[in-house]
Amino acid sequence: MNQTISIKRRKSKKIYIKNIPIGGDAPISVQSMTNTCTTNVKATIKQINKLQQAGAEIIRVSVPTLEAAEAFKKIKQKVTAPIVADIHFDYRIALKSAEYGADCLRINPGNIGNLKRIQSVIHIAKEKKIPIRIGVNSGSLEKDIQEKYGIKNPHALFESAMRHVNILEKLDFNNFKVSVKSSDVLTCISAYQLLASAIEQPLHLGITESGSLTNGTVKSAIGIGLLLFSGIGDTLRVSLAADPVNEIKVGFHILQALNIRKRGINFIACPTCSRQEFDVIKVINTLESRLEDITTPMDVSIIGCMVNGIGEAEKSDIGISGYRNKSILYENGVRKKTKIKNSKIIDTIEKYVRKKSKNL
Ligand code: SF4
């Protein structure tokens, strides 16, 4: 008998970034960040649209200068995705970004100077009805906290976050979410655990500066995955030193692996060995790139021989099991009478997937 393993999600307050709910019973959203120069308006708009097309539900744009804020205004007029303006230290940039249509401000209130400045940012966030993300990062902790704990300590991230949280709460502002990111996976997990039991606001998950595509994917999958499995997390960003479109792909793969959310094709493929009857690696890579546009959730198995091919195909929406010169095709767990020439596998699977995505 199949057993469904369910995750008990931490109860959190729901906030909105434009039309995207975060927290409560909202789906766990996937975000990314542009890495173009924000003052290059054309390139930034192009990348925002590319990320949105890849499935990004929220996109962050850094606004490091007042000049970038003017570019942000132009960008915001041309895109439909919810945009978070990422600001450090300069409250004037936060005010401008909010004025120019930011859907959320990423700013740490404790880092922007005196109370009057903080109040002015909170005032505009309230007026525009936009949330704030407190984003604590192990690379930029306050000096006194670093001296007290060192940076590889979950209590350092937690204490820093709570300073900012307390400022917002004192100013009667609770429309915020929080992240406590470390590049050390275990430190990061522990910091989120501390935070999850201390506040009711939604949590934005991420392993910061996690590294290259391969290394960063592994760290993010372990860190974000373990937190999500324990019910912690309401939105996520995978941080990779790679094309940010990969961040969206990996983010959805993490959610998919935990059965939290499904988007697009979940490919099941064997690692291949000398028993393979067709070139599994070529087939899977070609299909992955050809079918990137498919958003309908479905399981597609590509298995090189009968050893595991039949079992996987029977559990998949569409499956192929390698067999001599012609392989065996399954749809909805049912074997098709006609075998598929191995040279035609890619085109055939594509045809079946496209047909199914229209019918589902
Ligand atoms: Fe090898 Fe067959 Fe296993 Fe694929 S399914 S790894 S081809 S034995």
Side-chain angles (χ1 to χ4, degrees):
M1 196 170 69
N2 292 335
Q3 191 192 350
T4 310
I5 299 163
S6 59
I7 295 171
K8 194 168 178 289
R9 191 165 162 194
R10 160 186 170 263
K11 282 201 172 76
S12 60
K13 181 182 152 54
K14 192 185 281 182
I15 65 168
Y16 284 83
I17 297 187
K18 200 175 177 182
N19 56 337
I20 301 292
I22 297 173
D25 60 356
I28 293 165
S29 46
V30 177
Q31 328 197 2
S32 184
M33 184 169 182
T34 55
N35 61 5
T36 51
C37 184
T38 303
T39 49
N40 186 340
V41 173
K42 211 170 146 195
T44 306
I45 291 171
K46 195 172 165 200
Q47 194 173 52
I48 288 171
N49 291 337
K50 200 171 149 205
L51 287 167
Q52 191 180 25
Q53 208 176 11
E57 290 157 314
I58 298 163
I59 297 164
R60 186 154 46 111
V61 174
S62 54
V63 192
T65 59
L66 286 167
E67 190 196 354
E70 296 306 317
F72 182 82
K73 181 182 184 182
K74 293 182 190 146
I75 293 163
K76 198 61 189 71
Q77 285 163 354
K78 297 276 183 201
V79 299
T80 56
I83 305 291
V84 181
D86 186 275
I87 299 132
H88 289 270
F89 309 118
D90 192 334
Y91 79 107
R92 296 168 307 162
I93 301 175
L95 297 181
K96 284 267 181 212
S97 301
E99 196 57 53
Y100 293 159
D103 300 299
C104 175
L105 299 174
R106 185 267 167 119
I107 192 163
N108 291 343
N111 296 349
I112 57 176
N114 63 34
L115 186 62
K116 217 169 141 199
R117 290 177 177 182
I118 301 170
Q119 278 171 327
S120 64
V121 173
I122 301 304
H123 178 77
I124 198 160
K126 280 185 182 172
E127 186 188 290
K128 301 280 179 190
K129 295 190 175 55
I130 55 172
I132 285 177
R133 166 155 79 97
I134 295 171
V136 170
N137 191 304
S138 58
S140 52
L141 283 168
E142 296 90 331
K143 271 224 164 66
D144 65 313
I145 290 185
Q146 280 187 43
E147 278 161 19
K148 188 172 168 190
Y149 296 104
I151 54 167
K152 218 167 147 180
N153 185 326
H155 292 277
L157 292 158
F158 174 66
E159 189 168 315
S160 175
M162 290 309 291
R163 280 187 189 174
H164 302 297
V165 167
N166 291 336
I167 292 171
L168 293 188
E169 287 185 340
K170 271 194 194 128
L171 294 172
D172 195 26
F173 186 84
N174 59 15
N175 186 17
F176 65 91
K177 60 178 180 141
V178 188
S179 63
V180 275
K181 298 186 184 181
S182 168
S183 52
D184 180 74
V185 174
L186 296 182
T187 303
C188 201
I189 291 172
S190 303
Y192 275 106
Q193 285 169 332
L194 291 169
L195 198 58
S197 53
I199 62 171
E200 61 163 6
Q201 262 69 27
L203 300 183
H204 163 121
L205 301 184
I207 306 296
T208 196
E209 288 113 29
S210 68
S212 63
L213 182 55
T214 312
N215 195 15
T217 297
V218 172
K219 288 185 201 166
S220 300
I222 292 173
I224 295 172
L226 285 172
L227 284 165
L228 290 172
F229 186 65
S230 65
I232 295 172
D234 302 286
T235 181
L236 64 91
R237 185 228 172 164
V238 173
S239 302
L240 298 174
D243 180 339
V245 165
N246 292 298
E247 299 184 351
I248 302 302
K249 289 183 185 171
V250 175
F252 276 106
H253 282 315
I254 293 172
L255 293 175
Q256 190 155 266
L258 291 165
N259 277 339
I260 291 174
R261 271 186 85 183
K262 289 185 188 286
R263 181 184 189 276
I265 301 169
N266 175 34
F267 280 108
I268 297 134
C270 72
T272 77
C273 74
S274 66
R275 286 197 191 89
Q276 67 177 341
E277 304 283 0
F278 62 88
D279 187 344
V280 172
I281 294 174
K282 182 180 164 202
V283 169
I284 182 84
N285 285 334
T286 311
L287 283 171
E288 259 197 7
S289 87
R290 273 203 204 174
L291 296 170
E292 260 185 0
D293 59 305
I294 300 290
T295 54
T296 312
M298 69 179 90
D299 292 337
V300 175
S301 65
I302 312 288
I303 309 290
C305 81
M306 302 278 277
V307 172
N308 295 318
I310 303 298
E312 291 296 348
E314 283 177 345
K315 287 184 288 180
S316 304
D317 295 293
I318 295 161
I320 192 98
S321 175
Y323 187 70
R324 295 186 190 153
N325 295 326
K326 289 183 174 180
S327 293
I328 305 166
L329 180 69
Y330 281 72
E331 190 180 20
N332 300 327
V334 180
R335 182 178 175 152
K336 296 277 178 194
K337 281 200 184 108
T338 316
K339 292 202 189 82
I340 309 298
K341 264 193 188 169
N342 288 349
S343 59
K344 297 278 178 214
I345 287 176
I346 295 171
D347 291 343
T348 307
I349 300 267
E350 180 178 6
K351 192 178 86 189
Y352 273 83
V353 167
R354 294 206 177 275
K355 193 174 113 208
K356 198 165 197 62
S357 75
K358 284 193 190 111
N359 295 340
L360 279 177

